[in-house]
């Protein structure tokens, strides 16, 4: 049945796609670069929003992002591998190392996972900086931009479209996972560990699968980061970055696991730029923004918009209403 | 024939013995009630059976298999489902989605198919949906099927808790105070449903405070006090057992 809203919905979607595709032709290289950053940060946010669904907040997203970036950088420089070939390897390295660590953390529940995350974030950064092999605190560079045949991704526009490709892949996979029955079981764990295991869900295994998938996409985002930054510096992948990732998700709206992180990343990539604040004040601005959001927009920007938009435009994910959702019971496993 | 047997089961926290030397068995196809004064350890017994807490000693045998040391999800997979004392629900899900979550173990199309959303996966989802609707209907929640669980009145939340447990297709259903906080009409409906659940071949182990309900519905009653079994028998025997009456002195025996 075709209805008026169906057509409007398609129209809105088509316009949105057209705008996204045309963006690098409507703005200069600097703004395009900000959009590339937005997509990168958005993908990091997506990974965080993904593990939050099984009730596991990760403080190590930037570390695994770095694992992806470094894997790509080292394979390209030391093994002379092509950029594309390094992508699956980066993902697998991140999953394999993650598995070794999380098989200890995940069975011990959310608090242990959270603590492990923080420690891992610091340890991995230290590893990149202190071990000579990784190029030290000055970082490691790649010279070669990724290319397919004659198409070289070295300009801002090309990189923008490459980023869209990565982002699209992320969104499609996350969407397919969440729509499936696996997604339903993940949500069940996020809402109540106790009830989920009482209906036969193996909480540890489902959480592990979820976190490792998140790890895979974080590493992939790291590889993409190497494509446009061409240099990996340990300072980029610190705990502070992981905290920023959480802010994208909270600002966008934690209940919107696909669009929320993107909106949050967009805001945090552009607001400091346009406020023209000096870099040393950026953290303070971010802190103020997050406090204001928690007080005035507890469901995030999208939560605020959806209260005012037509229902078809935004459908809220069914659980976790806000940052301080009152419906959730304390973790017991 | 006994479906579930507890052999000398004990659980102690330091020097405190929450349950000690507990022995009883639940016969297949019956409604078996576990009663006792407040703090007698009834919920602890449920937690022991479902693996939420580990027994300090003794054995729990279900359907011929020792389940004492199994993890909760494995015990659920063996066919023991549970509805909780507190209304444990997926509060931000609709009623139907709550029940569908209970279908976790049934009729899976496989992870890859589910990810790719193939026809097999869609058909399995459709079948699960139909069965979930049947359960929702059976529990009298058809009109509320699209309502968020968190918005339901208390009686309906209880019914939904049981629906989720039923979705697991259990052999043994543990119900923790299913009628507590219900008005008489709701409570009578629940009693009628528990009977029908039993008649479908599901064995029910019940913890309940309302003596009226327990006496009305039980095929067998086990009474515990301070973590020990003090009596077992048919409702009429239990009603007149001097030890039971003593244990209940000072208690409101007809609460709810």
């Amino acid at each position: 049945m075709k209805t008026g809203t169906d057509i409007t919905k398609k129209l809105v979607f088509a316009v949105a796609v057209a705008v996204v595709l045309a963006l690098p032709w409507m703005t200069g290289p600097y703004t395009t670069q900000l959009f590339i950053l937005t997509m990168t940060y958005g993908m990091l946010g997506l990974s965080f929003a993904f593990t939050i669904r099984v009730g596991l907040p990760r403080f190590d997203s930037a570390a695994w992002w770095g694992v992806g970036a470094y894997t790509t950088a080292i394979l390209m420089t030391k093994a002379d591998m092509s950029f594309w070939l390094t992508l699956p390897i980066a993902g697998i390295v991140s999953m394999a190392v993650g598995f070794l660590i999380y098989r200890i953390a995940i069975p011990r529940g959310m608090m242990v996972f959270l603590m492990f995350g923080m420690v891992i974030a610091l340890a991995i950064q230290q590893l990149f900086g202190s071990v000579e092999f990784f190029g030290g605190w000055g970082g490691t560079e790649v010279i070669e931009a990724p290319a397919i045949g004659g198409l070289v991704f070295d300009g801002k526009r090309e990189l923008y479209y490459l980023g869209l490709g990565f982002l699209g892949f992320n969104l499609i996979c996350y969407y397919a996972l969440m729509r499936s029955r696996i997604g339903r079981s993940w949500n069940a764990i996020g809402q109540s560990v106790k009830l989920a295991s009482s209906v036969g869900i193996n909480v540890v295994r489902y959480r592990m699968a979820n976190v490792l998938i998140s790890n895979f996409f974080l590493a992939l985002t790291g590889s993409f980061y190497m494509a446009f930054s061409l240099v990996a510096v340990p300072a980029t992948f610190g705990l502070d970055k992981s905290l920023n990732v959480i802010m994208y998700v909270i600002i966008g709206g934690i209940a919107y696991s696909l669009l929320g992180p993107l909106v949050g990343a967009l805001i945090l990539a552009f607001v400091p730029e346009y406020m023209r604040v000096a870099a040393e004040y950026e953290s303070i601005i971010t802190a103020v923004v997050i406090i204001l959001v928690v007080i005035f927009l507890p469901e995030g920007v999208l939560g605020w918009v959806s209260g005012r938009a037509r229902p078809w435009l935004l459908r809220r994910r069914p659980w976790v209403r806000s940052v301080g959702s009152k419906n959730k019971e304390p973790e017991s496993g | 024939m006994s479906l579930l047997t507890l052999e000398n089961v004990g659980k102690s926290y330091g020097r405190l013995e929450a349950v000690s030397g507990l022995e009883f068995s639940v016969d297949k196809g019956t409604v078996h009630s576990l009663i006792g004064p407040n703090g007698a350890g009834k919920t602890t017994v449920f937690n022991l059976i479902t693996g939420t807490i580990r027994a300090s000693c003794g054995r729990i045998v279900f359907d011929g298999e020792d389940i004492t040391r199994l993890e909760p999800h494995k015990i659920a997979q063996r066919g023991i489902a549970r509805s909780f004392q507190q209304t444990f629900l997926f509060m931000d899900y609709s009623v139907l989605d709550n029940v569908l979550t209970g279908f976790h173990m049934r009729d899976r199309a496989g992870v890859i198919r589910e990810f790719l959303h193939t026809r097999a996966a869609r058909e399995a989802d459709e079948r699960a949906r139909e069965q979930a609707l049947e359960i929702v209907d059976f529990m009298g929640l058809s009109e509320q099927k699209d309502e968020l669980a968190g918005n339901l009145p208390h009686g309906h939340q209880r019914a939904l808790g049981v629906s989720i447990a039923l979705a697991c297709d259990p052999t043994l259903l543990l119900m923790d105070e299913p009628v507590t906080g219900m008005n008489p009409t709701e409570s009578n409906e629940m009693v009628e449903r528990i009977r029908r659940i039993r008649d479908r071949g599901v064995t029910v182990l019940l913890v309940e405070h309302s003596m009226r309900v327990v006496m009305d519905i039980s095929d067998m009653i086990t009474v515990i006090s301070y973590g020990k079994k003090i009596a077992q028998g048919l409702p009429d025997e239990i009603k007149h057992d001097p030890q039971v009456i003593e244990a209940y002195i000072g208690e409101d025996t007809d609460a709810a």
Side-chain angles (χ1 to χ4, degrees), chain B residues 131-190:
Chain B
Q131 286 169 309
L133 278 170
E134 258 172 52
I135 292 173
V136 165
D137 195 37
F138 174 73
M139 292 305 296
L141 292 167
S142 336
E143 278 173 38
Q144 288 79 23
K145 70 181 166 59
D146 296 318
E147 195 83 43
L148 285 188
N151 296 342
L152 293 177
H154 183 83
H156 286 153
Q157 288 190 337
R158 290 262 143 160
L160 179 55
V162 178
S163 310
I164 297 172
L166 282 179
C168 303
D169 197 15
T171 323
L172 175 66
L173 175 61
L174 309 186
M175 300 174 96
D176 205 345
E177 305 195 358
V179 304
T180 300
M182 283 187 171
N183 65 38
T185 323
E186 288 173 332
S187 155
N188 287 339
E189 280 173 10
M190 184 60 96

Side-chain angles (χ1 to χ4, degrees), chain A residues 58 64 67-68 71 87-104 106 120 124 208-209 211-220:
Chain A
R58 62 185 320 165
W64 300 108
V67 166
T71 308
L87 294 178
I89 299 177
I92 289 164
V93 166
S94 166
M95 286 171 91
V97 180
F99 176 75
L100 294 178
I101 293 166
Y102 293 125
R103 62 185 294 193
I104 304 168
I106 288 180
I120 291 161
I124 289 183
M208 178 66 86
V211 169
L212 292 186
I213 291 168
S214 166
N215 258 30
F216 180 86
F217 282 108
L218 283 169
L220 224 53

Side-chain angles (χ1 to χ4, degrees), chain A residues 116-175:
Chain A
F116 263 59
M118 291 195 206
V119 177
I120 291 161
L122 297 170
I124 289 183
Q125 191 186 20
Q126 188 84 41
L127 188 76
F128 292 147
S130 305
V131 177
E132 200 52 50
F133 179 75
F134 295 108
W137 294 101
T140 186
E141 284 180 46
V142 295
I143 308 137
E144 201 186 333
I148 309 174
L151 174 61
V152 184
F153 294 93
D154 54 357
K156 293 291 174 232
R157 276 178 193 154
E158 289 82 356
L159 286 166
Y160 177 89
Y161 292 116
L162 181 64
L164 276 187
F166 273 83
L167 182 60
F169 181 61
N170 269 259
L171 288 173
I172 288 168
C173 290
Y174 283 138
Y175 176 77

Side-chain angles (χ1 to χ4, degrees), chain A residues 179 181 185 187 200 318 321, chain B residues 77 92-93 104 106-107 117:
Chain A
R179 177 186 56 180
R181 265 216 235 179
S185 302
N187 279 337
R321 292 190 179 148
Chain B
Q77 285 163 8
D92 284 350
Y93 268 1
H104 173 79
R106 287 160 72 169
D107 197 18
H117 209 53

Side-chain angles (χ1 to χ4, degrees), chain B residues 22-81:
Chain B
L22 192 62
E23 306 223 0
F24 71 89
S25 55
V26 177
D27 285 345
K28 214 171 230 173
T30 59
V31 174
H32 191 125
S33 290
L34 187 62
I35 62 169
N38 277 328
K42 293 162 296 192
T43 301
T44 309
V45 173
F46 269 21
N47 286 335
L48 288 168
I49 296 171
T50 55
T52 320
I53 56 176
R54 286 265 166 94
S56 316
C57 61
R59 246 161 57 98
I60 301 170
V61 179
F62 175 70
D63 216 3
E65 188 188 359
D66 187 342
I67 58 163
T68 323
R69 310 243 164 261
L70 292 182
E71 293 162 275
H73 68 267
K74 294 214 173 107
I75 291 174
Q77 285 163 8
R78 301 273 186 296
I80 300 183

Side-chain angles (χ1 to χ4, degrees), chain B residues 70-245:
Chain B
L70 292 182
E71 293 162 275
H73 68 267
K74 294 214 173 107
I75 291 174
Q77 285 163 8
R78 301 273 186 296
I80 300 183
R82 168 187 199 176
S83 71
F84 287 90
Q85 180 178 13
Q86 308 94 321
T87 38
F88 261 114
L89 300 169
F90 304 116
M91 292 295 180
D92 284 350
Y93 268 1
S94 74
V95 165
L96 193 61
D97 280 334
N98 264 278
V99 181
L100 278 169
T101 310
F103 277 79
H104 173 79
M105 298 179 281
R106 287 160 72 169
D107 197 18
R108 298 295 295 258
V111 169
I112 303 292
R113 289 206 180 100
E114 281 164 16
F115 175 68
L116 297 174
H117 209 53
T118 60
R119 180 199 282 227
R122 286 196 305 267
E123 281 172 358
D125 278 352
E126 195 44 52
R127 278 196 299 274
R129 219 183 131 77
E130 275 165 26
Q131 286 169 309
L133 278 170
E134 258 172 52
I135 292 173
V136 165
D137 195 37
F138 174 73
M139 292 305 296
L141 292 167
S142 336
E143 278 173 38
Q144 288 79 23
K145 70 181 166 59
D146 296 318
E147 195 83 43
L148 285 188
N151 296 342
L152 293 177
H154 183 83
H156 286 153
Q157 288 190 337
R158 290 262 143 160
L160 179 55
V162 178
S163 310
I164 297 172
L166 282 179
C168 303
D169 197 15
T171 323
L172 175 66
L173 175 61
L174 309 186
M175 300 174 96
D176 205 345
E177 305 195 358
V179 304
T180 300
M182 283 187 171
N183 65 38
T185 323
E186 288 173 332
S187 155
N188 287 339
E189 280 173 10
M190 184 60 96
V191 167
E192 196 38 54
R193 285 201 190 97
I194 295 174
R195 265 203 196 98
R196 283 168 61 194
I197 290 169
R198 179 198 58 193
D199 294 345
R200 282 173 155 201
V202 179
T203 308
V204 177
L205 178 58
L206 186 76
V207 162
E208 183 48 62
H209 262 297
S210 162
M211 283 304 140
R212 190 179 54 79
V213 168
V214 168
M215 294 303 163
D216 181 18
I217 200 176
S218 307
D219 299 310
M220 181 60 73
I221 299 175
T222 300
V223 190
I224 60 174
S225 180
Y226 295 107
K228 290 192 173 70
K229 181 164 101 173
I230 57 169
Q232 174 157 342
L234 303 171
D236 275 338
E237 297 166 4
I238 293 299
K239 236 183 266 182
H240 304 108
D241 189 304
Q243 261 190 301
V244 177
I245 294 166

